[in-house]
Amino acid sequence: DRSSAAGLSAPGNALPTPYPPRLSNPVWPTVSPAERRVLEVLGRGASNREIAAVLYLSVRTVESHISSLLTKTGCSSRTQLVIWALARP
């Protein structure tokens, strides 16, 4: 796990978000369980095709979940989305 190896998930190592999300309210409650699963695999550095294979989804479904996550969080890239997720409990 890359985040553990880099110490990113260790307690007290809160990551600052380089580009704060545009939304001012917490959005975890609006992220669906399916989107969270996609985000978890995305955080391992997986491509859309790899995410689809791991979660038994179509690539198009993965693309839809990532697009939805980008919109909900105000993030503008996959990398920023992972950083956003790591900075939240």
Side-chain angles (χ1 to χ4, degrees):
D1 179 85
R2 292 180 188 173
S3 63
S4 295
L8 298 179
S9 61
N13 279 349
L15 285 178
T17 54
Y19 306 102
R22 290 185 292 263
L23 298 176
S24 60
N25 60 340
V27 294
W28 270 129
T30 65
V31 174
S32 74
E35 291 167 341
R36 282 186 186 222
R37 288 189 296 271
V38 168
L39 187 53
E40 180 182 330
V41 180
L42 176 65
R44 299 179 200 156
S47 68
N48 288 356
R49 186 179 302 260
E50 291 167 334
I51 296 168
V54 168
L55 299 178
Y56 302 102
L57 301 171
S58 72
V59 174
R60 180 65 190 120
T61 299
V62 171
E63 291 169 351
S64 294
H65 285 317
I66 291 174
S67 178
S68 177
L69 284 162
L70 290 169
T71 299
K72 287 179 180 183
T73 62
C75 293
S76 58
S77 70
R78 295 163 63 98
T79 302
Q80 187 181 353
L81 188 59
V82 171
I83 292 168
W84 176 90
L86 287 172
R88 276 145 187 82

